[in-house]
Amino acid sequence: EGDGLVIVADGSRQVALLLARVAPVVVRLRVLRVESGGLVVVGGGYAGLHAVRAVERLGVDVTVIDRSGDHDFVTRLASVAGGSAPERDAGQPLGRLARHVDVGSVVAVGDGTVELADGRRIEADAVVITAGAESSRPPIEGLEHAARLRTADDALALRSAIAAAASVAIIGGGATGVQ
């Protein structure tokens, strides 16, 4: 269950990216022909890094464009915030996880081009968009006083706040609350 990314290739550097969501069922298949221009992946989250690693194994040059330049290990954030995991488990610079990383905000995507807010234009044979989600706060009275836990910075700030607090209230018994 959940989201998945499957990459299949043949010897001619033809890459099929299959993005699937099991429930509700949504499948998108796109076959990309990657020549010498390589591939650009927008977004350095889990889907983006899975695409990068799989395509790099095929010998394709891949550039990741991400606005922060960091990858947050989302599944480890609660453990880091709670102090049961070391701070380094919160995230890593993307440069340690991918060969080519450009830090910047994407403002436009064209046919094989990506334009960044600083005016740079990056060209490739294909562009894959894996830009991730943003956290949101539902309109619940008092929620502005609650800590957010979506990024490595959130986890480290929460860890410091917990260490300095006389008492802590955790609302929710899911995986994050339990950790």
Side-chain angles (χ1 to χ4, degrees), residues 9 14-15 27-28 39 48 54 56-57 62 66 73-74 77 90 92 98 106 109 111 122 127 134-135 148-149 158 179:
Q14 186 165 303
V15 179
V27 176
R28 294 181 199 117
L39 184 71
E56 279 182 342
R57 278 190 228 117
V62 183
D66 188 82
F73 298 127
V74 177
L77 296 180
Q92 291 281 320
V106 174
V109 176
D111 187 19
I122 298 172
V127 178
E134 289 287 326
S135 61
R148 197 178 293 233
L149 186 57
L158 187 53
Q179 287 183 23

Side-chain angles (χ1 to χ4, degrees), residues 34-107:
V34 181
E35 302 289 345
S36 59
L39 184 71
V40 169
V41 175
V42 177
Y46 284 104
L49 285 180
H50 280 286
V52 168
R53 291 242 168 119
V55 174
E56 279 182 342
R57 278 190 228 117
L58 302 171
V60 174
D61 187 40
V62 183
T63 298
V64 180
I65 301 173
D66 188 82
R67 67 177 166 195
S68 74
D70 295 314
H71 176 76
D72 298 324
F73 298 127
V74 177
T75 58
R76 301 289 298 145
L77 296 180
S79 295
V80 171
S84 63
E87 290 183 7
R88 69 178 178 277
D89 280 7
Q92 291 281 320
L94 278 171
R96 291 185 183 168
L97 304 170
R99 289 184 200 137
H100 306 289
V101 177
D102 269 314
V103 177
S105 294
V106 174
V107 294

